[in-house]
Structure formats: C-alpha cells, structure tokens
Amino acid sequence: VGSFPEDVTDRLYDTILFNGSIQFFHNTRQVLQDASEKLKQRPGSRIVISHVNGAKFVKQEVQQTSSMGVAVRNMPNQVSLESYAKLFNMTALYKKDLLASNEEYREELDGDDDQFYLVALEMN
C-alpha cells in the first residue's frame, strides 16, 4: 500500500514510472502534476505510463469493479495526455516514438494500446 507522492523521497528523479498503476489513482491529472514536480527540471526527464495488458483490459476492469482497491480510472487517452503535456510544459510521447530507436523490442511490443499500453510525458 502506498501513495504518490507521500511515499516518495524529497529527491528529484530523471524518470518516474507508473507501471500498471495509474488506473488506481482517482485524480490522474493531480498525480501526474505531482510526478512532474518530482522530476529534475531538465529536457529529457520523463514520466512513463505503461500497462502490459493494455488499455482495453483496464477499461474492462473499471467497468467490472464494485469494490475499493480495483481500477477506478481508464488509461489516459491521447486527448488527456496532450492536455497534461501542455499543462506541465512537457511533450507527450507515444509507443511509436518510444520504440523508434529500439529495434529489438519494436515488433515484440507492437500493436495498439489495447495490447500493450506505453506512453511518456517528457520535460521540454
């Protein structure tokens, strides 16, 4: 059990990863804003959001949940990611951007966000 950013030290980070977890926070915008404030304020610092089962899995989990502790939000879509990026002076990067220079994983992680969700917000 943890929370963000209360369980994070006062240090600043190059990268903050939400791996299979962003859907458990009630206020995605606030969590990402808090995360952006924990990043080193230099170009290339990133917030990475991923889910191995994809956005469709999370959406189904949200629809089926009736008890606490299960997904409460869908994965951020392109519209919300672009909005967050603008708000936090960042750039939204999508799977194709993140895998462009990494040929060994490109095919393995290919497909839409319903199969494997991977995005990042990168500091300008």
Side-chain angles (χ1 to χ4, degrees), residues 76-86 92 94:
N77 62 26
Q78 185 173 357
V79 171
S80 58
L81 286 166
E82 295 293 335
S83 174
Y84 300 146
K86 184 176 180 181
Y94 302 94

Side-chain angles (χ1 to χ4, degrees), residues 17 48-52 54-55 75 81 93-99 109 112-113 116-120:
L17 171 66
V48 179
I49 306 167
S50 66
H51 198 294
V52 68
M75 300 304 283
L81 286 166
L93 301 173
Y94 302 94
K95 191 173 5 179
K96 63 178 177 49
D97 306 314
L98 296 166
L99 297 177
L109 300 178
D112 60 28
D113 289 336
F116 181 82
Y117 184 93
L118 177 65
V119 298

Side-chain angles (χ1 to χ4, degrees), residues 18-68:
F18 291 95
N19 184 32
S21 61
I22 199 74
Q23 72 273 21
F24 297 111
F25 294 98
H26 287 275
N27 189 336
T28 305
R29 186 200 56 77
Q30 186 63 54
V31 169
L32 293 177
Q33 181 176 338
D34 292 344
S36 72
E37 292 168 1
K38 294 287 186 177
L39 287 175
K40 293 178 182 173
Q41 299 298 305
R42 64 177 178 215
S45 295
R46 290 180 176 175
I47 299 169
V48 179
I49 306 167
S50 66
H51 198 294
V52 68
N53 293 322
K56 185 176 181 180
F57 173 86
V58 173
K59 186 174 186 175
Q60 291 170 342
E61 190 177 32
V62 169
Q63 291 171 344
Q64 295 171 0
T65 189
S66 61
S67 62
M68 296 298 290

